[in-house]
Amino acid sequence: EVQVEESGGGLVQPGGSLRLSCKVPGLTFSNYAMSWYRQLPGAPESDRELVAAILGNGGGEHYIDAVQGRFTISRDNAINMAYLQMNNLQPEDTGAYFCNPGYGVVIFNSWGRGTQVTVSL
């Protein structure tokens, strides 16, 4: 079982920014792509959507259209951390954000608690 720890969420106004962090201890981190997902308010766990992904070597960044140009995924393999910099946040970005190893495909069916992002006036 893989432990995943997300942090960095909060309440921001539209146009604001947040930086989410994801730690995956105990994993040979650089061997795995990493992805960020979000679960919109009221949506079931099965509807978590991929937001962004990055390969193990830090390349191959992928974003869904809704966040392209506003979000940036990155990683620091030396400390087993992945990040999601979110700029120009909008109310439709509100939701619980999760990370997991894999490039848009969940490898370990072991989710963290997520971190809540709320964008509101």
Side-chain angles (χ1 to χ4, degrees):
E1 183 175 306
V2 173
Q3 279 189 306
V4 181
E5 304 164 9
E6 302 95 346
S7 62
L11 171 64
V12 294
Q13 295 184 349
S17 297
L18 284 172
R19 187 192 194 208
L20 306 185
S21 298
C22 168
K23 187 167 181 67
V24 190
L27 189 72
T28 307
F29 196 65
S30 59
N31 286 356
Y32 294 89
M34 289 296 298
S35 295
W36 282 96
Y37 300 83
R38 67 185 176 191
Q39 185 172 345
L40 301 181
E45 181 176 323
S46 57
D47 283 354
R48 284 177 188 167
E49 63 173 352
L50 175 68
V51 174
I54 189 169
L55 294 174
N57 63 5
E61 294 176 34
H62 168 78
Y63 303 93
I64 59 172
D65 289 345
V67 307
Q68 180 77 46
R70 300 188 297 124
F71 290 13
T72 302
I73 189 171
S74 62
R75 62 190 296 154
D76 185 340
N77 288 343
I79 56 173
N80 282 35
M81 294 289 292
Y83 305 98
L84 187 67
Q85 177 67 43
M86 306 187 296
N87 298 328
N88 192 21
L89 283 160
Q90 299 300 315
E92 54 266 33
D93 296 315
T94 293
Y97 283 70
F98 302 84
C99 63
N100 220 308
Y103 196 79
V105 177
V106 177
I107 298 176
F108 303 104
N109 191 25
S110 178
W111 294 89
R113 299 176 65 178
T115 186
Q116 178 66 36
V117 172
T118 303
V119 185
S120 178
L121 290 171

